[in-house]
């Protein structure tokens, strides 16, 4: 049925936005076994380390635990592994201090810490606001110069001989390998009749077509 006066769906939320975000993050943590905001001793064990030649190996649990202790000594995490604001600031400013032995893995270690330090970002649709363009910027000479450089569109054209295309298509179809008919199996009265795709003869005794 049509019409908003009849087809109206009303959804009543049973939880606040904060509760929804918290529950969703908890479900993700349970499914992925990753706790947001917590650094655990084994977290860096699978970071690849270059070995002899082209072979690579994992950093390992002992090295991961050593790195975990360093983060705690630097005040980046507390005794429970909870990430502190000092670590977030160091990651933001690219000022993460690591022992020299982990210099080659710095980028991978920072990537793991960024993943753990950031809480799941869930936007609250009720807090959306309209952002109006700054008209003075749009009318400035700098913006117009930029627009003149990026406003051009690219057009592609394809030219071909229609008659030649038809002739070549017909020849390809004629020279193509034949398509074998699909076999058909029909069971009647406990007997199974198979056909290689040939048209079956009508059996008047049963009043319908049957493959022979």
């Amino acid at each position: 049925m049509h019409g908003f006066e009849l087809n109206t769906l009303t959804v009543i939320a049973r939880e606040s936005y904060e509760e929804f975000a918290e529950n969703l993050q908890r479900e993700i943590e349970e499914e992925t076994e990753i706790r947001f905001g917590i650094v655990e001793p084994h977290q860096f064990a699978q970071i690849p380390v270059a070995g002899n030649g082209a072979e690579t190996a994992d950093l390992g649990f002992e090295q991961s635990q050593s790195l975990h202790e360093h983060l705690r000594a630097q005040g980046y995490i507390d005794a429970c592994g909870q990430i502190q604001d000092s670590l977030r600031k160091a990651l933001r400013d690219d000022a993460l201090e690591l022992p020299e032995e982990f210099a080659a893995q710095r980028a991978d270690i920072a990537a793991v810490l960024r993943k753990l330090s950031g809480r799941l970002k869930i936007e609250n649709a009720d807090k959306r606001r309209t952002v109006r363009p700054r008209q003075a910027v749009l009318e400035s000479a700098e913006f117009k110069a930029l627009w003149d450089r990026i406003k051009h569109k690219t057009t592609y054209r394809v030219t071909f001989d229609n008659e030649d295309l038809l002739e070549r298509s017909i020849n390809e179809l004629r020279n193509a390998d034949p398509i074998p008919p699909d076999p058909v199996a029909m069971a009647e009265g406990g007997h199974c009749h198979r056909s290689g795709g040939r048209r079956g003869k009508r059996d008047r005794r049963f009043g319908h077509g049957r493959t022979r």
Side-chain angles (χ1 to χ4, degrees):
M1 300 178 65
H2 299 280
F4 289 106
E5 67 280 0
L6 297 177
N7 294 340
T8 301
L9 174 63
T10 302
V11 179
I12 302 176
R14 297 184 298 174
E15 57 186 358
S16 65
Y17 164 75
E18 289 76 13
E19 291 174 335
F20 164 75
E22 200 68 33
N23 292 334
L24 179 59
Q25 180 163 305
R26 188 178 301 110
E27 292 175 3
I28 294 177
E29 289 178 343
E30 292 175 356
E31 292 180 1
T32 61
E33 298 182 353
I34 296 177
R35 294 192 296 166
F36 293 98
I38 301 292
V39 181
E40 299 184 10
H42 68 274
Q43 216 88 54
F44 312 98
Q46 295 184 348
I47 289 179
V49 179
N52 297 329
E55 296 182 357
T56 58
D58 292 338
L59 187 64
F61 177 76
E62 292 185 3
Q63 291 289 82
S64 178
Q65 189 174 27
S66 174
L67 180 57
H68 186 271
E69 293 174 356
H70 168 79
L71 296 175
R72 180 180 174 183
Q74 290 292 324
Y76 290 146
I77 59 177
D78 63 12
C80 298
Q82 184 75 39
I83 291 176
Q84 305 299 299
D85 289 338
S86 59
L87 176 56
R88 294 188 176 92
K89 185 176 185 302
L91 291 172
R92 184 186 65 230
D93 298 340
D94 194 21
L96 182 64
E97 296 183 7
L98 296 175
E100 186 64 27
E101 58 185 303
F102 299 113
Q105 293 78 42
R106 177 185 175 84
D108 292 331
I109 293 171
V112 172
L113 291 173
R114 286 193 182 92
K115 182 178 180 180
L116 296 173
S117 63
R119 291 181 63 83
L120 184 64
K121 186 177 181 181
I122 304 175
E123 300 289 345
N124 188 348
D126 294 335
K127 294 184 179 180
R128 290 179 180 175
R129 60 189 181 91
T130 302
V131 179
R132 301 186 181 281
R134 296 168 58 184
Q135 201 63 31
V137 174
L138 296 180
E139 295 176 356
S140 65
E142 293 81 1
F143 180 81
K144 291 181 179 179
L146 172 63
W147 179 249
D148 288 338
R149 292 199 302 268
I150 66 175
K151 69 179 181 180
H152 303 287
K153 296 181 179 180
T154 303
T155 302
Y156 297 93
R157 291 182 175 87
V158 178
T159 303
F160 61 90
D161 187 336
N162 191 55
E163 295 297 330
D164 179 63
L165 176 63
L166 290 175
E167 183 178 353
R168 292 170 60 184
S169 299
I170 292 172
N171 291 333
E172 288 292 334
L173 290 174
R174 285 176 176 171
N175 298 328
D177 295 333
I179 301 176
D182 295 331
V184 177
M186 182 183 300
E188 288 182 336
H191 300 283
C192 182
H193 306 274
R194 295 187 178 274
S195 170
R198 294 175 300 175
R199 183 177 298 175
K201 297 181 180 179
R202 178 173 296 276
D203 193 327
R204 296 181 180 178
R205 294 178 299 170
F206 295 96
H208 53 76
R210 189 177 71 175
T211 301
R212 294 185 180 276

